[in-house]
Amino acid sequence: QVQLVESGGGLVQAGGSLRLSCAASGRTFSSYYMGWFLQAPGKEREFVAQIRWNGGRTYFADSVKGRFTISIDNAKNTVYLQMNSLKPEDTAVYYCAALPSPLYGSTWAGSYAHWGQGTQVTVSS
């Protein structure tokens, strides 16, 4: 079965960087879009970034555009979220997700079929 396992979260000072990893297994993901979402306490899950597994097409939330990048290492079956210039408002649990769609991505969390367990990112001021 599909399994997504996030890692790389932690505590970082404002202006610093983290790289989150999402190890994907259980299926061939060539017809998927992969996404990263965040959820702060008491808030709804919010779109961060997405990438088409085949083709590398990417899209970012306005709040992270220019600061975050998303990429895939096919050899490792791993999706990365590189987070630079971090701000305290980036503090949240970050989730990796998979959307079984070959052509169209989505910013709506409800459209994603598979989710990881999340990894905590805390940015201090």
Side-chain angles (χ1 to χ4, degrees):
Q1 193 66 11
V2 170
Q3 187 174 14
L4 305 175
V5 180
E6 301 98 330
S7 61
L11 175 63
V12 65
Q13 292 184 347
S17 298
L18 287 172
R19 189 179 74 164
L20 307 184
S21 299
C22 172
S25 63
R27 191 165 297 180
T28 299
F29 291 91
S30 58
S31 297
Y32 279 67
Y33 276 78
M34 307 299 294
W36 285 96
F37 291 77
L38 65 83
Q39 189 163 23
K43 303 294 185 180
E44 296 293 320
R45 196 161 295 187
E46 180 180 338
F47 172 79
V48 176
Q50 68 181 210
I51 185 169
R52 185 183 178 187
W53 192 283
N54 270 351
R57 292 167 176 80
T58 62
Y59 184 74
F60 298 90
D62 287 343
S63 61
V64 307
K65 199 170 297 181
R67 299 190 296 123
F68 292 7
T69 59
I70 185 171
S71 61
I72 290 175
D73 186 334
N74 277 301
K76 298 182 183 295
N77 263 21
T78 298
V79 184
Y80 299 100
L81 184 69
Q82 179 66 46
M83 310 165 67
N84 299 322
S85 302
L86 282 161
K87 306 173 181 179
E89 50 263 45
D90 296 321
T91 295
V93 177
Y94 283 73
Y95 295 90
C96 178
L99 170 64
S101 174
L103 296 176
Y104 303 103
S106 177
T107 62
W108 176 43
S111 67
Y112 284 74
H114 309 288
W115 293 85
Q117 82 288 351
T119 185
Q120 176 71 47
V121 172
T122 303
V123 184
S124 62
S125 58

